[in-house]
Amino acid sequence: MQFSGRRRKLAVHSQNDLYSHCLQLYVQPPLENISLSEFETFAVERLKLLKTVENLGVSYVKTTEQYTKKLHAEISNLNFPHKAEVDEASFTKSQVGPSEYEKRRKDHISHFILRLAYCQTEDLRRWFIQQEMDLFRHRFNDLSSKYKTEFLHKNNLKYDTLSADEKMNLKDQLINSTFGFSGITIVEQDFYKVPFQDALDLIRTRKVFLRGGYAYIPHQDIVTIVLNDFRTRLSKALALTARSLPAVQSDERLQPLLNHLSHAYVGQDYSIQKNIGKISLEQIDPLSAKSFPLCMRQLHKSLRENHHLRHGGRMQYGLFLKGIGLTLEQALQFWRSEFIRGKVDADKFDKAYAYSIRHMFGKEGKRTDYTPYSCMKVILSNPPSQGDYHGCPFRHSDPELLKQKLQSYKLSPSGIVQILELVKGMHYQLACQKYFELTHNIEDAGFSLNHPNQYFMESQRLLGGVKEIKKEVEVPQKVQENSVTNGTSVSRQPNTTQAMEEMGDLDSYFADE
Amino acid sequence: MSNSDYDPACLPDLLPLYYRRLFPFSQYYRWLSYGGVTKNYFQNREFSFTLKDDIYVRYQSFSTQNELEKEMQKMNPYKIDIGAVYSHRPSQHNTVKSGTFQALEKELVFDIDMTDYDDVRSCCSAADICSKCWTLMTIAIRILDRALREDFGFQHLLWVYSGRRGVHCWVCDEAARKLSVAARSAVAEYLSLVKVRKKKKKKNNTYISHYFLQYAIVGQELLSSKEGVDKVLNLLPEDILCDLLLHYQSEKNPTKRWERLKTLVHQKRQATSKKGGQYFDKEIMLQYCYPRLDVNVSKGVNHLLKSPFSVHPKTGRISVPIDLRNLDKFDPFEVPTISLICEELDKPRPDEEEEDDTKDKENEIEAGERRKIRDFKRTSLAKYIKLFDQFLDSVARSRKGDMLKKSDLQKDF
């Protein structure tokens, strides 16, 4: 990899040569200069795409229409290339938005940037390879047959095809052994003779005819072969990249971005409080049961019971409360009144704990207005130990205890089973989403959960929608409704380009202690 | 009788004799060197020994055949396992920078264990075997052997009796030795058909049909007992099931019962005329007879497997190669035990003198070797070592053929 290529100028290839196909295997690294902001934007957008790939991959079977449609939509929204059928005209500046050429360029560059961020540990590499493969598979399958062949040739995957005679000789075996083929299609389609080591997935599931160490693969299944090739190359490339990484990390402009990308939350940061002061303290108790995600419900409950929370819990819960609209004064009152009921007297509270609450609101120290923690942060950092109540219950609680807790919250047994399954598969945010669906009595949450405050807003939006009808009857709810109507305008799918406007200083995204 | 009353307590006395006079070291070395084509192939191979009192030592490696002999004669291992060829000498693995000591190559291996068939045999269970259920092993061997040769193109398969209740297959082709973990796992899954019942090979059906009647119906009395009948009926559709139940009330002969089943299935198949009809009878046979593999044994490149010509401490039997040309005649109870062959050592055989003379003229072997050859020839081990030799010859021939091809390609005459 030539990292210095980014800083030195090199001959720029003519547009037509470089990106002649919408799909590529990312063999050659990009050799041009780009601005830092483009660097950041590309990286974050691709990361969003890959996260969507991951989420969709878990929520839907990969061959279903829903999966394809949703992924397609995301690819378009983020301006990545997907269709091969583009005429020459749109190669240059097209009607609206970036041209096809620009999309392909972004695809190329963003992939290589993410390699830098995801090459460092085995887990990161595995994740990156998995999502890139799924993305590639989707895009390849989307191509028409003509473009598939073009792709194969451009990428030197020259497997021999069977001659017509050979095909006739093997006709019966091919029909019997090849999944989904009849006599007619055998004649029409090309069959490739591939060494079995290159076609392991098809062999494993017995989907193709195997003889003498060669798999006889129809054209339509060639994607599996290509994917294997893709995976091997990417795996090797990542290993190489990891070795060159120290050189890249010495550049202070890139280092913070790369470090944060692998733990990135790329949605709204909920630090913009459009609903400040709309929540009253008396509402917190009922809200905790209705609209808080399980982690915050747990924290609130233990605060009420023990009249105390340790530091990790105070941070996670305190910032969340800030995010739902508590003012500094409300927060101080809230925590103070609770702690006093415990072992802490008023003086001690003002001396020790008040400071840290003000700190959270950016009124002390270096005055950073800290942002509420995203799910990623809660799940990945600072695991709770004995006596702690922070963290993500789906991730950090013992499954038995989690089950009991959910039962005590009167969730349906089948729902609990589903949640536990997701937990077992390590899909913690999806488990929380399921919790949302069960507690709000809906089929589909309609959003992809990645932030506790997002949970709150979506919940309020949902409940507000119902309450709107009963507005006249339930007066005490009035205050809440205001925040709900505000909430409606603020809350939307986190993965929009709108959030991208707030890119300014990346550090504010990942505010740490 | 081949048993010669093996007593595990005698093992400490028998093993030194075995390793000093009978174990085929030169063939063994010849095998694992693979013609010396790859440098240090033998030297980087891991062996593990199980010594007396269950002391287990790993990462044994040897520089020469002589060193291997001396060490084995010194330690007298109860069990010997063969592992992978590593990037460095296994005995020095602690001195190598961590992460760089890697398993590089190993034969592709399969382990078929009779206990995996417990649910389909009524005669024995767990570690026991008898001639009735050994048929299952025969079926499995035939199916695997064919699949490995025809489907995957492998040629050099060494089938070895494990000494008690199973067989191992060592695929020694160069391509096989170089397979990755993913590839090994894919091959094993391909072969483990019992789980994935999609495509059945015609040839396999022939084997199964051939053996099924004898094994399952007669030998295992599949359709004789109520349990057996129930198991079978579970796999059939409602209408056939009812008819059979009625029929079985009067007809007690299991063979006739199977015939009726087949007829009914066939009739149904004709009637439905769906593509790929309903081959319930074949399904039943497959369920019972298809090879059951432990995928984990085959997956790992560094997996350690019992070595051929190792002794089985509980039965005393030697892990001998199996002759596939006479597979039907193979009887695990006729396999020589260590006590038998040690006993045979003392009894001279008349025809050995002439054989030796001709051998000496052809090769130049020192006295020690000559004696060794004389020794094992006296025993029942002889035919198995000969089999091993034939196997090694064919591996060597094929290697020479490949090298010729390569040099031809390089126009190197």
Side-chain angles (χ1 to χ4, degrees), chain B residues 73-88:
Chain B
Q73 283 157 3
K74 190 170 93 183
M75 302 226 249
N76 289 310
Y78 277 38
K79 281 199 250 179
I80 307 168
D81 290 335
I82 301 180
V85 176
Y86 283 81
S87 50
H88 305 76

Side-chain angles (χ1 to χ4, degrees), chain B residues 127-169:
Chain B
D128 302 324
I129 54 167
C130 70
S131 46
K132 278 200 249 175
C133 51
W134 187 258
T135 318
L136 281 173
M137 204 52 76
T138 311
I139 300 175
I141 296 176
R142 282 224 192 276
I143 294 177
L144 282 181
D145 194 73
R146 191 209 62 79
L148 287 167
R149 283 181 200 280
E150 285 181 25
D151 295 352
F152 288 98
F154 294 128
Q155 295 173 305
H156 304 293
L157 277 55
L158 180 68
W159 287 94
V160 182
Y161 173 55
S162 77
R164 190 162 59 163
R165 59 180 194 239
V167 293
H168 299 154
C169 177

Side-chain angles (χ1 to χ4, degrees), chain B residues 283-300:
Chain B
E283 297 249 334
I284 294 170
M285 296 197 286
L286 277 175
Q287 270 273 38
Y288 277 80
C289 303
Y290 223 87
R292 295 169 191 211
L293 298 174
D294 183 356
V295 179
N296 290 316
V297 169
S298 312
K299 259 199 328 206

Side-chain angles (χ1 to χ4, degrees), chain A residues 38 109 124 137 150 154 219 226 243 284 296 338 349 406 457 465 490:
Chain A
E38 214 177 23
I109 297 178
L124 288 176
R137 186 190 294 117
E150 201 181 292
K154 284 211 158 87
H219 189 90
V226 179
R243 271 186 249 161
I284 294 187
M296 302 304 173
E338 198 56 53
F349 181 84
L406 294 172
M457 283 187 162
V490 169

Side-chain angles (χ1 to χ4, degrees), chain A residues 11 29 33 79 94 104 118 165 208 222 251 275 351 354 361 378 384 410 426 435:
Chain A
N33 290 334
N79 290 316
S94 73
R104 295 180 188 184
Y118 281 85
D165 286 334
V208 285
I222 211 76
D251 185 332
N275 34 296
K351 282 203 189 101
F361 277 76
V378 171
K410 309 257 184 339
M426 306 213 304
Y435 170 79

Side-chain angles (χ1 to χ4, degrees), chain A residues 373-417:
Chain A
Y373 295 171
S374 64
C375 287
M376 187 76 83
K377 188 166 164 97
V378 171
I379 291 172
L380 288 179
S381 37
N382 193 20
S385 33
Q386 196 63 351
D388 283 324
Y389 294 92
H390 62 266
C392 172
F394 299 104
R395 162 81 178 87
H396 296 117
S397 285
D398 176 67
E400 260 314 299
L401 291 177
L402 178 63
K403 182 168 159 192
Q404 285 172 22
K405 186 176 296 183
L406 294 172
Q407 282 169 337
S408 76
Y409 290 153
K410 309 257 184 339
L411 260 53
S412 73
S414 62
I416 296 181
V417 166

Side-chain angles (χ1 to χ4, degrees), chain A residues 103-196:
Chain A
K103 290 186 192 174
R104 295 180 188 184
R105 175 175 167 268
K106 174 162 136 178
D107 178 40
H108 184 209
I109 297 178
S110 61
H111 171 91
F112 276 91
I113 299 176
L114 286 191
R115 277 196 197 182
L116 298 175
Y118 281 85
C119 63
Q120 292 193 52
T121 72
E122 195 52 53
D123 281 341
L124 288 176
R125 284 191 230 186
R126 204 177 304 137
W127 184 86
F128 183 64
I129 293 178
Q130 181 62 52
Q131 311 320 322
E132 283 284 343
M133 275 181 58
D134 283 347
L135 178 62
F136 184 92
R137 186 190 294 117
H138 165 83
R139 290 165 70 188
F140 186 86
N141 280 335
D142 222 21
L143 295 173
S144 68
S145 172
K146 166 174 158 231
Y147 285 103
K148 275 192 182 129
T149 315
E150 201 181 292
F151 178 80
L152 287 176
H153 286 164
K154 284 211 158 87
N155 287 283
N156 289 321
L157 289 167
K158 288 195 167 71
Y159 295 121
D160 291 335
T161 51
L162 294 182
S163 69
D165 286 334
E166 287 173 311
K167 256 201 274 182
M168 281 326 285
N169 284 339
L170 295 171
K171 184 166 153 210
D172 287 331
Q173 286 105 317
L174 288 176
I175 297 178
N176 280 333
S177 311
T178 317
F179 193 67
F181 266 74
S182 68
I184 304 173
T185 38
I186 298 283
V187 176
E188 286 175 349
Q189 276 221 19
D190 270 336
F191 269 76
Y192 297 84
K193 197 170 152 187
V194 176
F196 84 89

